[in-house]
Amino acid sequence: MSASSAELTEQEQRRREEREALEAQGIDPYPYAWDVDAHAQEIIDTFDDDKHQPDGDEEPPYVVSIAGRITSMRVMGKSAFFDVQDSTGTIQAYIRKNDLPEDLYDEVFTELLDIGDIVGLKGHVFRTRMGEVTVRAGDDFQLLAKSLKPLPVVKEREDEEGNVEVYNEVTDKEFRYRQRYVDLVVNPEVRDVFRKRSTLIRTMRDFLDDRGYLEVETPVLQPVYGGATARPFTTHHNALDMELFLRIADELYLKRLLVGGFDGVYEISKDFRNEGLSRFHNPEFTMMELYVAYKDYAWMMELTETLLGAIATALHDEPEFEWQGHTISLEPPFERVTFFDAIEEATGFDLYQADRDRVFDVAKNELHLDDIDDDMGLGKLLDEVFGETVEPSLIQPTFVIDYPVELSPLAKKHRDEEGLVERFELIIAGKEVANAFSELNDPQDQRERFEEQAAMRAAGDDEATPIDEDYLRAMEYGMPPAAGLGIGVDRLTMILTGQESIRDVILFPLLRPEQGAAADEENAENDEA
């Protein structure tokens, strides 16, 4: 559906008139293809003055065919310079009136083309007197896509002291997240974040593949959700007339595969949790989950150290990087501290084996934590105390180990300590990045914990884990001892690229409808949960 004239800005109306004028001259504003054999940054990096710009009348040998978006135009009578941006960067182009047939320079190039139009050009590369590598559009030039909406134009201005001032920047976060396609065009550094995210995932996959672990795919639509404590999204399958859930984790299906005989399996996938929006939470997020038979959480700590060190080096050429004024090192080994020792060090209270009433009193009346409810169970209270008093202070990578059993319904009981499980969380920059267990493989113990979770659900805890009878059946066939690991890809990308919001590392984050945009952004900025 086309926008009515009354809804268009003056520029949008003018660009539509330009399109009509192009078509009237027999020019297709949206042709089918263009042969690209070079890119902007490659041309700039490989240009050689001695080789590509010989003296005399000899034709320069460096001929390229490029395509990209016009980001600036400087018309000077019978010639013009313009900048062309492609996926690698921006390069200057040059065209003269006699490069185009008939009157196309005067009637089309200078009158009907705009910043934002996508063009293709072919010609030789030279260096201008000002020292800038430039492509001369002398062999061929074609409009490839007419831009009907004007782009925000980011400009730079240099003062008398040589300082560069940038103005007209696109900084409005709600606009950037909602119109990511514009954000990527006008903010090249945003494209770099997503290239690094791709490198992160590729490094993770190569690391696991090289160790012989099998990448698999498990169901997104599940009849029983599990593997985490979270509210699911629900949907309905019409043909089967049954309620289904979008997965909140991959864990229970991946561990079924250990029962089936695989020694190591992993999945990099989207998970979905029906929770609030914040700078650190998006309802749709990417997880890597790995399960390896015959290993435990101590072994998994060492693997995690090596994996994250490799990822940091792939992104930064070394395991160290800067984050909000801190130099963070992912060089193994990482610090290790137990869950209850960390709480005691931060608060002065020893809560190991304390009952629910004691923990509630400390949280509510001694620590004065805001989000403490009277109906919270022991596990949630301990989690709240840890999240508020310990987690934000752990900047360097730290393994927090040996969690209370109430927080870990899928982890194996600690072999030495009563009431604990063999679990670690990896905290970096004050946020959980990874979670791992020595996996529970006793089906009777697992059933008892599921039943405890079911009782919590009956008491009103809608995040408690439901009983998965098929998973219990699989365990009864015999599941080998194993170690499991989950890494939040989005959050790890945030930390390694220095981004402040999870929305900065998700190309198309979930947003409220546009009429709720202002409230959406305000909530996201205020919510630090």
Side-chain angles (χ1 to χ4, degrees), residues 167-184:
Y167 58 103
N168 289 351
E169 290 182 279
V170 179
T171 57
D172 179 81
K173 290 186 176 180
E174 198 277 329
F175 174 85
R176 290 179 51 220
Y177 300 149
R178 195 172 296 281
Q179 298 189 38
R180 180 68 84 187
Y181 35 87
V182 177
D183 184 32
L184 293 167

Side-chain angles (χ1 to χ4, degrees), residues 60-79:
Y62 196 2
V63 176
V64 297
S65 178
I66 65 172
R69 192 181 298 273
I70 296 174
T71 57
S72 72
M73 297 180 70
R74 302 171 295 283
V75 177
M76 298 168 291
K78 297 181 179 181
S79 64

Side-chain angles (χ1 to χ4, degrees), residues 40-55 58-64 91 124-128 131-134:
Q41 196 59 51
E42 168 198 357
I43 296 168
I44 294 169
D45 291 343
T46 59
F47 183 81
D48 184 320
D49 289 278
D50 294 333
K51 178 181 178 182
H52 297 140
Q53 193 160 290
D55 296 329
E58 181 182 351
E59 180 69 16
Y62 196 2
V63 176
V64 297
I91 192 167
H124 69 262
V125 185
F126 69 101
R127 190 184 298 277
T128 66
E132 188 162 358
V133 175
T134 303

Side-chain angles (χ1 to χ4, degrees), residues 174-175 178 277 503 510-524:
E174 198 277 329
F175 174 85
R178 195 172 296 281
L277 301 169
R503 298 179 181 190
L510 181 66
L511 300 170
R512 289 181 175 86
E514 291 199 42
Q515 60 267 27
D520 181 70
E521 185 58 31
E522 182 179 353
N523 290 341

